Amino acid sequence: MPATPTTDPLQRERDHLAASRSALRAMREDVQSLDLRDVTGTWVSAVILQNQIEARIAALADLADTPLFFGRLDYLHAISEELSEGGGGENFYIGRRHVHDADGDPMVIDWRAPVSQPFYRASRTEPMDVERRRRFGYTGGELTAYEDEHLSDPEAVTFSGSAGGSTTSALLAAEIEKPRVGPMRDIVATIQPEQDEIVRSDVTGTICVQGAPGTGKTAVGLHRVAYLLYAHRERLARTGTLVIGPNNAFLSYIEQVLPALGELDVAQSTVQQLVGHVEVRGEDSPESARLKGDARMAEVLRRAVRAGIALPTEPCVVVRGSRRWRVPAYELTEIIEELKGRDIRYGAAGEALPQRIAHAVLLKMEQSGEAPDDRVQDAVARNSAVKAVVKQCWPPVDPAKLVLRLLSDPEFLAGCAEGVLTAEEQQAVLWPKPGRSVKTARWTAADAVLVDETTDLVQRTPSLGHVVLDEAQDLSPMQYRAVGRRCTTGSATVLGDLAQGTTPWATASWPDALHHLGKPGAHVEELTKGFRVPEEVIAYASRLLPAIAPGLAPATSVRDAPGSLAIRRVADGELTAAVVEACRRALEHEGSTGLIAADARIPLLAEALAEADLAHLTPGTETSAEARLTLVPASLAKGLEYDYVVLDEPAAVIAGEPDERTGLRRLYVALTRAVSGLTVLHAEPLPEQLG
């Protein structure tokens, strides 16, 4: 006998979840059972197809603690076949990926599909034909609650269901405030209208997001990648996508967001890894690093690359059989001057030069009555006399060797930097001790960017389809150029916060940054509504804004959590013990705890935690239920989040930076890492900007 349908609405939703999981397993098993032996023509196509099958199997994995769907839309009218991914009914379950039953009918709609958009944007003033929006609550992967929001009936109760009546979404708030153990989670269930607008921006346009702490700008950038891969998969599969973060700890923190959304083929990198042509073993002074990161260095390098070009003084004489063909020096000069004037890479011009000389020879052959073809031109281009002219007039350039010479040879630098850098600036850029070879030189991070720029002047850097650049405010103009040449023919999502710029060369404005990136027409969107950091905490940190970013509007928070901020002054000599005790108390709460301190105090605090038998992790190491305390140097705190943060000695954080403004910005970062509670402990006076 068929089962009797239940009248319990919550049980009906649980039944749909169970059926959807069963359908997802069936989809995965169907892919696993595919027999490829008779459908591939060559071993190459077999390998490619097998890799695609394995990627599809991985994308269809059912993660036990990740809800398969998180919402439902009940439309007033039927949705067209095209928009509903083959559905056509009034009710749609919204989830992280598409799931269909054995007949191909959708059981869960991908959150990126057009029919899902009203889940994020519909409101009572603009219902978008949605009668009811339902949100689901989960506990340990089990569906335990739901809330209904009636959008088309102004008389209806806004929220109802097993979570109880309310005027705000308790489930939405609970999802935002869920304790953080492990890497960063996706925010697909909590995307807000202003965030959704950025996420679904067109692939052809570059967008810059100025986002205050807790506004979700990083998550928005990652979800934008997932959306673009859904909407333009074939295009981006060919050209590739890349996420660039400030350091490996940050990349480790965010690396699970895209796989949780079913996207497995997005590369991650730091800027330093992108420009890894040389081994970085040295460190610049702040002034030297600032100058090497200045956009003027691009012109210095362009001159250096072309410094070896020489005009001929002798003709080129090509011998073929019994004939001698003479290209006079003035004609060679015209060819070289024409190549110099064209906007092409040095290496490409060097490859074109022998062909140009050979073409001049062929014209003379034709004038004498011969009929040479392309094979003759290629043979002439390989002639030893032509090769000798090319080597003398357009010598090959090794980018690393050229930068080595530029930074080691004062006379060569002076010649290339004349009218661009002052004598004092040239002296600051030069290495204190000249490097002997590419392998033994003590290259710095800024030097590596110069090598990358030079490499691109010689040979074009391949462009990707889309690049996400996070914490972009800390990049120098030359670093922006390095990122920009990775997306010259693609688009970018630029994420950052001017108030969190903690390098001496931090950008002063987004238009300047976008100019150096090569995207001057990009749209700048500002996010000021916070969802992660409690209002009490963000209001306290915002006291620093007039000193560190006068033009920015203070952020607000939708989360009012009284008691989320505690500031305590302790006696000299008692700070370390008080910090350890504060960590112990924070760990009594559910979720993660971050102890943030000036870099110089990290060894002392690590020893104190060990003596107190409080195990701790380093940034980039995934937290777990057993290990929830991370000791974070202030220099690595940017982009990370913890449920509870203990901040050690703000004065030491400020003192650890080369100037006060940078120190205050570093403090601003540290103050805004907490999601549930922040405890500030200090023995020295707090900065006057905090009142």
Side-chain angles (χ1 to χ4, degrees), residues 31-32 34 36 48-59:
V31 178
Q32 290 173 323
L34 290 175
L36 306 179
I48 293 174
L49 186 55
Q50 184 60 44
N51 289 338
Q52 292 175 339
I53 292 298
E54 290 176 358
R56 178 62 176 162
I57 292 172

Side-chain angles (χ1 to χ4, degrees), residues 17 42 187 210 432 445 465 493 500 606:
L17 175 62
T42 66
I187 62 164
Q210 158 62 41
T493 301
Q500 297 185 56

Side-chain angles (χ1 to χ4, degrees), residues 642-675:
Y642 301 93
D643 289 289
Y644 295 89
V645 167
V646 177
L647 177 57
D648 168 83
E649 195 59 273
V653 173
I654 298 172
E657 300 300 327
D659 59 80
E660 184 186 35
R661 190 187 74 160
T662 304
L664 290 172
R665 287 182 167 184
R666 186 75 73 187
L667 177 59
Y668 180 76
V669 172
L671 287 169
T672 54
R673 299 304 95 199
V675 175

Side-chain angles (χ1 to χ4, degrees), residues 61 69 88 113 121 153 179 188 214 217 247 283 319 342 345 405 427 449 511 521 605 624 639 672 674 676 690:
F69 57 78
R121 298 201 191 179
D153 183 359
V188 64
K217 58 183 177 295
N247 51 57
E283 189 171 342
V319 178
R342 294 185 60 190
R345 297 299 193 275
R405 179 188 174 193
Q427 188 61 41
V449 180
L605 292 171
S624 64
T672 54
S676 296
L690 288 178

Side-chain angles (χ1 to χ4, degrees), residues 277 342-349 351 399 452-464 482 484-489:
H277 306 286
R342 294 185 60 190
D343 186 22
I344 58 175
R345 297 299 193 275
Y346 183 88
E351 293 172 358
D452 188 71
E453 178 85 21
T454 308
T455 301
D456 185 69
L457 288 168
V458 175
Q459 185 175 8
R460 185 181 297 276
T461 304
S463 177
L464 298 165
R485 54 181 160 264
R486 266 82 184 176
C487 56
T488 51
T489 59

Side-chain angles (χ1 to χ4, degrees), residues 42 78 159 168 201 208 262 285 317 389 409 438 460 464 487 491 505 522 529 532 554 574 578 593 602 647 688:
T42 66
F159 290 100
T168 59
S201 298
C208 174
S285 67
V317 180
V389 172
D409 185 341
V438 171
R460 185 181 297 276
L464 298 165
C487 56
S491 56
W505 50 85
K529 184 188 296 184
R532 301 287 191 248
E574 298 179 7
T593 295
I602 293 297
L647 177 57
E688 62 181 12

